[in-house]
C-alpha cells in the first residue's frame, strides 16, 4: 500500500531506507525489489515499543540520525460500542494507529534533536475530521493522531525538527479494497506517495490530499453537527 509506494519513491531518489512492518515475507520481497538501494528491514508490530526501540537503535548505529521518519502503519475495523465482541477491535485499532505512531517516533527523537534537523511525518486521514457510523475506532484514532501531531509540533518548535501531518483521502490499497461504498477521488498509492513526498520536502505542517478532498474536508469541518 502507501508504505511500499513511499519506499519505492524514496529508493528511486537514492535514499537509504529503514523499513519496519509485521510481515517478514513482504519485507523480504520489497528488499529484493529494491536491490540497488541500501535497505535495512525490521519485522515487528508497531504496538511493540521495545521492537521499534531496537530497530531504531540499530538503524541509528548503522546510518546515523534519519532525515525523515514516516509513521504510516494503520488498520481499520468496523466497530460498534454496543457490541461487546468489538472491544478487542477497538484496542487493536487505537494501539496500532495512535500508539504505533508514538512508538515509531520515540527511538529517533534524541538523535534528530541533536542533529537539529529532519522531519517526523504522521499519516493521519480525512477520517479524523468527521466520523462515519461504524468507524468510530478508526476515525477516533485518526482524530487523536492529528491532535497528537499538533502538540508534538509545538513541543519541537525551535529544535530544527519539523512535524508534518498528512491526511490522505481514499487510496487504492488492500485496506480500502474491502470498503463496500463509493470512494470519491480514489488515488493510486504511487500518486499518493508522490504528493506526500512533495509535502514532506516542503515541510508542510498540515496537508490533505488530493486537493479535491482538501476542499471537501474543509466543508466537513464547518458542517453543522446536526
Amino acid at each position: 500500500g502507501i508504505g511500499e509506494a513511499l519506499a519505492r519513491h524514496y529508493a528511486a531518489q537514492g535514499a537509504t531506507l529503514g523499513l519496519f512492518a509485521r510481515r517478514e515475507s513482504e519485507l523480504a520481497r520489497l528488499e529484493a525489489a529494491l536491490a540497488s538501494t541500501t535497505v535495512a528491514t525490521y519485522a515487528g508490530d508497531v504496538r511493540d515499543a521495545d521492537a521499534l526501540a531496537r530497530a531504531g537503535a540499530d538503524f541509528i548505529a548503522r546510518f546515523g540520525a534519519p532525515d525523515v521518519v514516516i509513521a504510516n502503519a494503520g488498520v481499520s475495523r468496523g466497530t460498534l460500542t454496543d457490541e461487546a465482541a468489538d472491544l478487542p477491535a477497538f484496542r487493536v485499532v487505537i494501539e496500532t494507529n495512535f500508539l504505533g505512531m508514538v512508538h515509531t517516533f520515540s527511538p529517533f527523537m534524541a538523535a534528530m534533536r541533536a542533529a537539529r534537523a529532519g522531519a517526523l511525518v504522521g499519516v493521519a486521514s480525512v477520517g479524523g475530521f468527521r466520523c462515519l457510523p461504524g468507524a468510530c475506532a478508526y476515525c477516533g484514532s485518526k482524530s487523536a493522531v492529528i491532535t497528537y501531531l499538533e502538540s508534538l509540533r509545538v513541543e519541537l518548535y525551535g529544535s530544527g525538527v519539523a512535524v508534518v501531518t498528512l491526511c490522505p483521502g481514499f487510496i487504492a490499497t488492500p485496506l480500502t479494497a474491502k470498503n463496500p461504498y463509493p470512494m470519491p477521488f480514489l488515488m493510486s498509492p504511487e500518486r499518493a506517495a508522490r504528493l506526500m513526498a512533495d509535502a514532506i520536502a516542503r515541510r508542510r505542517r498540515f496537508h490533505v490530499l488530493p486537493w479535491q478532498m482538501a476542499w471537501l474536508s474543509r466543508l466537513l469541518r464547518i458542517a453543522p453537527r446536526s
Side-chain angles (χ1 to χ4, degrees), residues 35-111:
S36 61
T37 303
T38 301
V39 181
T41 61
Y42 307 92
D45 193 313
V46 294
R47 292 177 293 172
D48 185 347
D50 291 338
L52 270 163
R54 290 191 296 270
D58 179 79
F59 185 90
I60 292 171
R62 295 168 62 184
F63 308 109
D67 298 308
V68 178
V69 177
I70 303 176
N72 171 67
V75 295
S76 180
R77 302 281 190 278
T79 48
L80 294 173
T81 304
D82 55 352
E83 291 289 343
D86 283 358
L87 295 181
F90 272 92
R91 180 178 294 277
V92 168
V93 172
I94 296 295
E95 289 185 350
T96 302
N97 297 2
F98 176 50
L99 289 179
M101 184 172 292
V102 179
H103 297 164
T104 300
F105 290 158
S106 179
F108 302 102
M109 295 285 287

